[in-house]
Amino acid sequence: MPKVSVLMPVYNTRPEHLREAMESILAQTFTDFEFLILNDASSDPRVEEVVQSFSDPRIVYAVNEKNLGISGSRNRLLDMAKGEYLAVMDHDDISLPGRLEKQVAFLKEHPDVGLVGCQFSTIGRDKISHLPLDDISLKKALMVHCGDMCHPATMLRREVLEKHHIRYEAMFSPSEDHALFCRMIPHTRFATLPEVLFCYRAWDGNTSHSQAKKMESATQGVLSFARRENPDLWAMART
């Protein structure tokens, strides 16, 4: 069994971005992983052409018969995963070579942590994140707004999701990542590594830009249940 399952849904992404994303995972210093790539019924044939141009045996490629959307695709990837840890990855971002190695080491050393992120840079911009490192600060940020953790830069402990029946929820898409984090709040600790281990691609075609209004509405729904289910933490966040 691989130690890590890298989960990457793909849909009509630019070929050059997809190739960079895949190369960044295959170049990781940590090698005990399966690379699960799920094509959500892309209409652009170049997506499959790029994936099939790689011959690495760690790649497991699947195609949805019909478009499931991001939450449905992420959940199918959860069902496919065999690893103890789940490394989230998006189809147009870049993981730096030491990302998996350092996140795995941290989760091994901290069995009470079920979610670990890292600092990240933004491609094409002179911008580096300054995320809080501790559990309470990260969770308080999720209660106040959508939080600061970059979803595709996180690694999750699969046991936490399975034990507490936590999945991606389509009703909150495209803020399904925020909802997942908030569902995890009562059940495990969060952490962020201080190193920059990830490069986020901000461009007009990604979700945060193309679905901004829908995301704002979904985020309000997530905040509503998160505050209701974690009243003590919400009280702390308001002070």
Side-chain angles (χ1 to χ4, degrees), residues 55-67:
S55 60
D56 195 295
R58 294 170 296 183
I59 296 174
V60 178
Y61 177 58
V63 181
N64 289 334
E65 292 185 3
K66 63 178 182 179
N67 183 271

Side-chain angles (χ1 to χ4, degrees), residues 28-220:
Q28 291 292 302
T29 56
F30 182 88
T31 60
D32 185 12
F33 64 84
E34 59 176 357
F35 189 6
L36 307 182
I37 302 174
L38 179 60
N39 184 340
D40 192 19
S42 296
S43 59
D44 186 344
R46 295 177 300 172
V47 171
E48 184 158 305
E49 290 171 4
V50 170
V51 175
Q52 293 187 338
S53 70
F54 290 85
S55 60
D56 195 295
R58 294 170 296 183
I59 296 174
V60 178
Y61 177 58
V63 181
N64 289 334
E65 292 185 3
K66 63 178 182 179
N67 183 271
L68 298 181
I70 189 59
S71 291
S73 292
R74 292 197 193 281
N75 284 332
R76 187 180 176 194
L77 286 165
L78 291 181
D79 293 336
M80 293 169 60
K82 299 176 181 178
E84 180 180 355
Y85 306 131
L86 308 175
V88 185
M89 182 67 186
D90 277 355
H91 60 190
D92 53 3
D93 297 324
I94 297 172
S95 290
L96 298 185
R99 176 197 165 186
L100 298 186
E101 180 179 0
K102 293 186 177 182
Q103 289 182 324
V104 167
F106 187 90
L107 290 177
K108 283 183 177 179
E109 294 172 8
H110 301 85
D112 59 333
V113 173
L115 184 156
V116 61
C118 61
Q119 305 297 340
F120 62 94
S121 63
T122 301
I123 297 172
R125 300 181 186 177
D126 185 19
K127 181 180 180 181
I128 295 177
S129 67
H130 298 282
L131 307 185
L133 308 183
D134 66 289
D135 176 64
I136 295 298
S137 295
L138 290 167
K139 290 177 176 176
K140 283 167 61 177
L142 289 168
M143 303 290 290
V144 175
H145 47 87
C146 65
D148 299 311
M149 300 190 77
C150 182
H151 177 241
T154 58
M155 183 176 285
L156 315 175
R157 196 179 296 273
R158 183 159 67 102
E159 179 185 29
V160 174
L161 301 186
E162 293 183 345
K163 181 178 179 181
H164 300 286
H165 309 289
I166 298 172
R167 308 273 287 179
Y168 291 97
E169 299 171 72
M171 66 180 293
F172 296 119
S173 293
S175 295
E176 77 287 338
D177 52 350
H178 183 198
L180 184 92
F181 291 164
C182 287
R183 295 297 189 195
M184 295 177 70
I185 284 175
H187 305 299
T188 190
R189 294 177 63 81
F190 295 178
T192 302
L193 300 181
E195 302 97 334
V196 174
L197 300 173
F198 189 80
C199 301
Y200 171 74
R201 191 182 302 278
W203 62 291
D204 292 342
N206 62 17
T207 300
S208 60
H209 287 81
S210 64
Q211 302 188 53
K213 289 185 178 180
K214 187 178 179 181
M215 180 174 287
E216 182 179 354
S217 177
T219 296
Q220 292 307 310

